[in-house]
Amino acid sequence: MSALLEVNGVSVSFDGFRAINDLSFEIGPAELRAIIGPNGAGKTTFMDIITGKTRPDTGSVMFGEPPTNLLKLPESRIAQAGIGRKFQRPTVFEQQTVSDNLMMALKAPRSPLAALTSRRTRSTEERIAALAAEVGLRDSLARRAGELSHGQKQWLEIGMLLAQDPKLLLVDEPAAGMTVSEREHTTDILKRAAETRAVIVVEHDMEFIRRLDCRVTVLHEGSVLAEGSLDHVTADQQVIDVYLGR
Amino acid sequence: MPRFALVLTAIMLAIAIAPRAMPGPHSALAQTADGTMAVVTEPAAPAPSAPGPLQAVLQANADAIAKPSRTTVDTVIAALLESNAPGAATFLAQWRDRGVVQRKADGLFFYGVETADGFSLTDPDTGKNTGNAAKADVTQLRPNSGVRGVLSSALVQFQLADPDIAVRESALIAIERGAEASQLEPLRASIEAESDAGLKARKTRLERLLTIQFDPSAEARIAAIESFAGDISVDVRAALNPLVATTPKAFAEVPAGTNVARALAPGGDIPLDDAYGLLVTAGLAQAAPTLAEMRAALIANRADGAVAGVPVAALGSQAARMDAYARLAAAGTVPPPVTEDAKRAALATVSIVAVYNEPDANVTAAAEATLASISRSLALNQTLDLALDALSLASIYFLAAIGLAITFGVMRVINMAHGEFIMIGAYTGYVVQQFITDYTLSILVALPLAFFIAALAGVAMERLVIRHLARRPLETLLATFGISIALQQIAKNIFGTQARPLTAPAWLDGAWVVNDVVSISTIRIAIFVLALIFLALLLFILARTRLGLEVRAVTQNPAMASSMGINPDRINMLTFGLGSGIAGIAGVAIGLFAKVTSDLGSGYIVQSFMTVVVGGVGNIWGTLAGASMIGSLQKVIEFFNPSNTLAAQTYMIIFIIIFIQFRPKGIIALKGRAAGD
Amino acid sequence: MADAKMADSALPGFTHQPLWKRNPSVLVFTGLLAVFTLVITVLSEGLGLGLVSTSFVKILGMTLCLCLAAIAMDLVWGYCGILSLGHFAFFGLGGYLIGMWLMYARTEDIVIASLAGAELPPTAQEIRDAIGTQIFGVVGGSEIPLVWSFAHSLPIQLALVVLVPGLLALVFGWLAFRSRVTGVYLSILTQAMTLALSLYLFQNDSGLRGNNGLSGLQNLPGLDDVPQSVVSVWFFIASAVALGLGYWLAAFLVSGKFGNIIRAIRDDETRIRFLGYDVEGYKLVVFTLTAIIAALAGALYYPQAGIINPAEIAPIASIYLAVWVAIGGRGRLYGAVIGAAVVSLLSSWFTGGQAPSVPLGFYTIDWVDWWQVLLGFGFVAVTLFAPNGLGGLVDRLVRKGDGR
């Protein structure tokens, strides 16, 4: 089975500080993966590299079939290639309606000309409505995104991510600030998404990860410390050292 | 060599009469005139029975002296010089200055000073007062300006050997301004006896310059020319350039001995028509009728609405006109036209060359070689001068921009009213000068006062406007623009639209002159020093004080700084005050060399922005680098296109726009996450 | 299908609708503009009752052009978040390009008329020389510069009105956006571009008559018989039509998906980039398109003003354009129109000396001197206390705050 994303020997440093150090990583086309690690382990920088926000000093990032080198593409192309990202802080377009937010995320040609000629057809509206229903925002379609609660914004963002229909989803701390029932709902959405595509979840909350029930990669000081089931990695002495201190 | 002897005599004569002329004929006579009483008590001396030697010469040339013209004055001067009569130089000076009168009764000449009722007379030979004469009894000699000019240049020869160094120097300066061939010999003769070393050096140098221009001997000229190798002075270049000047000429065969500079290719080095014109001038070809002449010929030969059978109405194109003209020429009515091809063919048979105006090939070769060596050394010196200019401009930009850089670094807002703080500083300087008339003292008072007032205005603006627009940089930009236009108009309403002077103290007036090329005005040196002081001061504040630490913290990471207990409001206010205050100081500095007007600041604002953007944000060294780059860039572009400073600025801005492509964050950029996006 | 039915009933107004339903201000605006145009035409000296003077018709026509430029500014700044301080340069460039034809063609008419009585019929070269002397005598030249190569042809020069500013905006925008220059940096850079352009035009050897600029533009070549009073109404109507079309175009741009995306770029450039949109491409489209709109507005404005010179293009003019939009209310098309109309008309009223002075006893406020001060501080007040500008008041009156 060939991997969907293959990160090989990537390193990056800021002003002499090595944020990512010879990191290698692989994920298959329909897989759910959680990434954990203490603060400063390089989780966010790892996502920045995949999405093109940060350019690494060395290494390669290959994606898709046939594999293309993401390091040569601008951010928008990487997104168009099928990588969606949810940021740590919910970032939705607060001035615009939930419906508009989802509409912009919907998979469709991204060029200015396409945007100028696009018309809102019945089928787009239906897809938007279906997505909104999936993330529990069916009744809020006409509301401005800025009026939503924190949790609702998180869901809207996940909805936008699903609307993109990406091959790979990068989700940064989706459960932050959610109630218990909201978390359960989020877990369901992510697990369902992982049936057809690859999903990488960065999360601190061990309980949330346990519920995801997937392979876990532990990052520490910019490289992979351990990989395996949650039980396996939590039993790893090195991981315990890192989390609990020596 | 009679001419040489004559000159020598003149010089000896000059030396002989010099003591009596001292301290100058004017003051001597003035004394006499003042002592009218003495003149009255002494009975008027009768006319001397025998005229003195000078008077004798004067009488011999009485007509020429009484009614001088440019043609006759030379004989008078020659006669005077030949006579060896003491006091000849004084006489020439008096004559020139309309100080000579002729007594009608006996035709004798005297120095006359006008008094209330006539003239007080002095004998030119003895220098003694000979009493008064009524106006009606004497004629005052009034030589015209042409004659006076001749007299002045004749006098220079005497003055070169005058015991008074001031007189010698002014004579030297007179020759430097406009030399004549006749001055070369007296100048040479006066070098030996020159006692002042400095003046002697100048005389020697001037002698060489005159040798280049006037010496009959080619060897002497060449030696003199070669002695100036590498000398970049303007006078040397002025003396050498005429030697290498050329005139284009056409020859069927270049005559031997023609001092040819180079061959000229018609159509390349020289336009085809011009070359053909030379051919015509040299009588080697027939004149070609010009377009205007052909047109006139057509008009002159109109008959029955047609020219040579071509209807006039059809002559609306050049081809038709040529055709009609050719018909006229075929009929023999007009000279035949010469086609381009014919011109080329004619030119192919002859040589078109640039001929040196100076006939001696050795002299021109020496001059070319010396000029080449001069131009090398000139380039070096010009580079040096350019560097000084650039440094001076860079320090102005630094002063103007550093305040902006500080506020932009800390608060990430562009203050469009920064230029108006510069203006406030300049007007502060002007107002202070209205109360304190001592310029030095007033500048010393104005500098801190300008800082204080501009800082106050800055703090007020920060508290009243900018604080309320936190994190909305574009709105801040526009709001400060609103303040900018309001402040400008207020200044206009108070001080009027005309420029107000901000006068620099006298000790800042001069310039530091290294040579004819390299010089810089003292004011610019002072501004450079001021910029250095502020650079040092700011480096000290930022690196060594608590305020500096906090400012750096806010610059690099505002959120973190505020969580560390730094009060960003206070820092914002202080930095805004500091930045605006420095703008005020810059205003005083700029006002010293530019006119103080209400739009003084806006002339610097875009350059200041550029300095900040190019240099990189949040770093004093960045601003310094930006100011240096923009200052030198502007000067270099101006150097290549000196006639057009507007074009220089245009190209500079285009360069900056391109520069930003490669270093979007400026020369010295903050790196890593702190830089943000 | 039940799903579809539900969507149909629960989502009124979300499927595709004509522009005027999505953006009702289009209809209101077009209606008001049409009525206004009709009224002024009927009252005008040239074509109507003569109650409105020709000079005032010109002022109104020019104001309409400024409103169109303000719409362009609103698109690029209010909707797309690019505070361009260069759009008035494009406006002026449009004026220069049409002015070249107006001046050349009219001078050609004059020259041909004056040479008609000559002994020989003039050749093409003689006409050209005479035109060159006539136009460039003031800057000590007689050669016709290269940039005037097409000045004889109206169609080409009209095409250049679109092409030159468009290309300039395209190249400049491509350079600036490509290197991710944003925010105040971009503003400064556009300001630098404007300054460079105006300084270039100030030179005598720029080929555009240096600081003399182009003049006599109010005279239409070949239409000497038509009085200015009529020409002014023609231009007034043309300006109104252009403004109407511009409003429709702008409304079309901002009401669809394109509008959603450029507003998203304004609010969070990074986020929309990670949705797969090529932010730089969108910015470039908006920047270039608005530059062309501004240039067309300028091409209509300067024949009414009669003269254009480099001072018109100075950076401060572009800032004023931004000020109008800010006072009118950013992100609202009618806001831009209101801002430009109110401020420019007020400005000509105050500086024209018609405004009554305010005696304070010890000092008399003469508005010719104090209008700028009032405008400056008024602008600060609007920025501080009414960030939505005058358009915000309209919103409150209409009671719809949908952010459009």
Side-chain angles (χ1 to χ4, degrees), chain A residues 93-96, chain C residues 262-269:
Chain A
F93 299 104
E94 311 211 342
Q95 302 289 321
Q96 307 197 28
Chain C
I262 61 174
R263 268 177 287 151
I265 290 173
R266 173 192 69 192
D267 294 336
D268 194 339
E269 193 177 311

Side-chain angles (χ1 to χ4, degrees), chain B residues 71-443:
Chain B
T71 46
T72 59
V73 68
D74 284 337
T75 47
V76 176
I77 293 172
L80 274 171
L81 295 180
E82 209 166 345
S83 73
N84 251 350
T90 315
F91 176 78
L92 289 178
Q94 285 292 340
W95 191 16
R96 178 191 61 187
D97 300 336
R98 295 177 177 167
V100 172
V101 297
Q102 185 177 29
R103 192 153 63 198
K104 287 178 180 170
D106 49 11
L108 292 179
F109 295 98
F110 296 92
Y111 302 147
V113 173
E114 212 164 349
T115 59
D117 50 353
F119 286 90
S120 155
L121 303 183
T122 305
D123 184 281
D125 276 296
T126 61
K128 288 203 179 110
N129 194 299
T130 56
N132 290 354
K135 254 188 186 149
D137 294 339
V138 296
T139 316
Q140 189 181 13
L141 304 189
R142 296 168 170 277
N144 66 28
S145 62
V147 171
R148 291 211 305 276
V150 177
L151 291 174
S152 291
S153 68
L155 270 168
V156 164
Q157 307 172 10
F158 296 105
Q159 291 163 349
L160 278 174
D162 197 287
D164 183 2
I165 187 165
V167 175
R168 295 205 301 277
E169 191 171 0
S170 65
L172 212 56
I173 290 170
I175 300 180
E176 279 167 355
R177 287 208 185 120
E180 287 169 28
S182 65
Q183 287 159 342
L184 178 56
E185 291 304 336
L187 179 63
R188 267 189 193 152
S190 74
I191 292 174
E192 193 66 32
E194 179 57 58
S195 53
D196 183 82
L199 215 52
K200 189 167 188 166
R202 276 176 68 185
K203 280 184 172 177
T204 317
R205 184 184 154 79
L206 190 58
E207 184 267 327
R208 284 188 287 148
L209 279 174
L210 292 197
T211 302
I212 293 176
Q213 297 173 62
F214 303 119
D215 198 288
S217 146
E219 288 75 32
R221 295 176 72 190
I222 292 169
I225 290 169
E226 282 166 351
S227 73
F228 280 113
D231 190 323
I232 54 169
S233 306
V234 175
D235 51 1
V236 174
R237 281 178 276 156
L240 288 178
N241 279 328
L243 294 185
V244 296
T246 59
T247 312
K249 285 184 180 156
F251 296 107
E253 201 168 301
V254 181
T258 310
N259 190 4
V260 174
R262 63 196 168 276
L264 299 174
D269 304 325
I270 179 168
L272 191 69
D273 285 347
D274 291 5
Y276 191 79
L278 291 174
L279 224 57
V280 174
T281 317
L284 294 171
Q286 193 183 23
T290 62
L291 283 182
E293 283 164 357
M294 286 195 265
R295 185 173 183 274
L298 291 178
I299 292 169
N301 287 292
R302 278 176 304 175
D304 304 329
V307 178
V310 182
V312 168
L315 293 176
S317 79
Q318 197 54 45
R321 289 186 184 182
M322 291 302 284
D323 179 45
Y325 187 86
R327 290 181 192 207
L328 285 178
T333 327
V334 292
V338 183
T339 62
E340 296 278 292
D341 289 338
K343 285 180 186 171
R344 262 189 214 104
L347 284 167
T349 62
V350 299
S351 317
I352 307 286
V353 289
V355 177
Y356 283 116
N357 298 348
E358 163 68 43
D360 192 320
N362 293 327
V363 172
T364 50
E368 293 278 13
T370 303
L371 276 173
S373 87
I374 286 176
S375 78
R376 279 192 296 276
S377 130
L378 196 62
L380 190 74
N381 277 281
Q382 273 169 341
T383 314
L384 199 65
D385 189 54
L386 202 62
L388 279 181
D389 277 357
L391 204 62
S392 137
L393 194 64
S395 31
I396 293 167
Y397 285 160
F398 178 77
L399 275 179
I402 184 67
L404 199 66
I406 296 172
T407 48
F408 189 54
V410 173
M411 301 167 69
R412 287 293 189 278
V413 296
I414 281 281
N415 176 15
M416 294 288 280
H418 188 76
E420 277 53 56
F421 294 149
I422 295 179
M423 172 199 81
I424 287 176
Y427 274 120
T428 306
Y430 164 73
V431 170
V432 167
Q433 278 196 346
Q434 304 310 300
F435 294 101
I436 302 175
T437 44
D438 182 277
Y439 290 144
T440 307
L441 186 63
S442 76
I443 295 295

Side-chain angles (χ1 to χ4, degrees), chain C residues 50-123:
Chain C
L51 292 174
V52 175
S53 73
T54 298
S55 64
F56 195 63
V57 171
K58 283 191 177 182
I59 288 181
L60 290 177
M62 282 150 67
T63 306
L64 293 180
C65 296
L66 295 176
C67 292
L68 182 56
I71 285 182
M73 186 69 196
D74 197 17
L75 274 179
V76 75
W77 179 37
Y79 285 90
C80 200
I82 306 167
L83 176 51
S84 160
L85 299 182
H87 268 59
F88 213 83
F90 300 127
F91 183 86
L93 216 48
Y96 259 102
L97 287 162
I98 199 66
M100 283 160 78
W101 174 74
L102 286 167
M103 201 165 175
Y104 187 94
R106 187 172 152 73
T107 310
E108 190 173 29
D109 287 354
I110 294 171
V111 162
I112 289 176
S114 75
L115 288 179
E119 284 107 335
L120 296 179
T123 62

Side-chain angles (χ1 to χ4, degrees), chain B residues 334-651:
Chain B
V334 292
V338 183
T339 62
E340 296 278 292
D341 289 338
K343 285 180 186 171
R344 262 189 214 104
L347 284 167
T349 62
V350 299
S351 317
I352 307 286
V353 289
V355 177
Y356 283 116
N357 298 348
E358 163 68 43
D360 192 320
N362 293 327
V363 172
T364 50
E368 293 278 13
T370 303
L371 276 173
S373 87
I374 286 176
S375 78
R376 279 192 296 276
S377 130
L378 196 62
L380 190 74
N381 277 281
Q382 273 169 341
T383 314
L384 199 65
D385 189 54
L386 202 62
L388 279 181
D389 277 357
L391 204 62
S392 137
L393 194 64
S395 31
I396 293 167
Y397 285 160
F398 178 77
L399 275 179
I402 184 67
L404 199 66
I406 296 172
T407 48
F408 189 54
V410 173
M411 301 167 69
R412 287 293 189 278
V413 296
I414 281 281
N415 176 15
M416 294 288 280
H418 188 76
E420 277 53 56
F421 294 149
I422 295 179
M423 172 199 81
I424 287 176
Y427 274 120
T428 306
Y430 164 73
V431 170
V432 167
Q433 278 196 346
Q434 304 310 300
F435 294 101
I436 302 175
T437 44
D438 182 277
Y439 290 144
T440 307
L441 186 63
S442 76
I443 295 295
L444 289 180
V445 173
L447 283 174
L449 198 63
F451 181 92
F452 183 71
I453 292 178
L456 214 61
V459 168
M461 192 170 96
E462 199 277 330
R463 291 215 74 117
L464 294 176
V465 179
I466 294 178
R467 177 163 299 186
H468 306 288
L469 294 171
R471 282 181 297 285
R472 283 153 65 192
L474 297 185
E475 268 101 328
T476 313
L477 190 155
L478 288 174
T480 52
F481 168 73
I483 293 170
S484 154
I485 55 172
L487 285 180
Q488 255 189 53
Q489 187 61 46
I490 290 175
K492 215 175 273 178
N493 293 351
I494 296 175
F495 295 102
T497 44
Q498 77 271 41
R500 298 287 173 175
L502 178 54
T503 317
W507 52 273
L508 279 178
D509 268 347
W512 179 49
V513 180
V514 179
N515 55 36
D516 279 3
V517 176
V518 184
S519 71
I520 183 166
S521 68
T522 320
I523 274 194
R524 288 179 180 262
I525 298 177
I527 290 173
F528 175 66
V529 171
L530 199 64
L532 279 187
I533 292 173
F534 271 92
L535 175 65
L537 199 67
L538 285 170
L539 285 175
F540 173 78
I541 290 178
L542 284 185
R544 293 266 184 275
T545 64
R546 175 80 197 166
L547 173 67
L549 181 71
E550 295 184 356
V551 164
R552 276 183 294 146
V554 175
T555 305
Q556 279 161 20
N557 194 334
M560 182 67 87
S562 125
S563 65
M564 306 268 292
I566 295 172
N567 178 359
D569 280 355
R570 190 179 136 264
I571 293 298
N572 286 350
M573 198 176 78
L574 287 178
T575 45
F576 222 91
L578 182 66
S580 313
I582 297 174
I585 301 254
V588 176
I590 291 171
L592 285 177
F593 67 86
K595 296 250 159 55
V596 183
T597 58
S598 60
D599 51 8
L600 171 97
S602 51
Y604 284 88
I605 191 73
V606 178
Q607 273 88 345
S608 302
F609 288 151
M610 301 278 174
T611 302
V612 175
V613 170
V614 166
V617 174
N619 188 318
I620 291 180
W621 294 112
T623 311
L624 189 65
S628 309
M629 192 177 117
I630 291 189
S632 22
L633 199 62
Q634 184 164 341
K635 281 295 164 192
V636 168
I637 298 174
E638 271 176 26
F639 174 75
F640 286 114
N641 193 356
S643 62
N644 207 330
T645 51
L646 290 177
Q649 290 194 35
T650 312
Y651 297 137

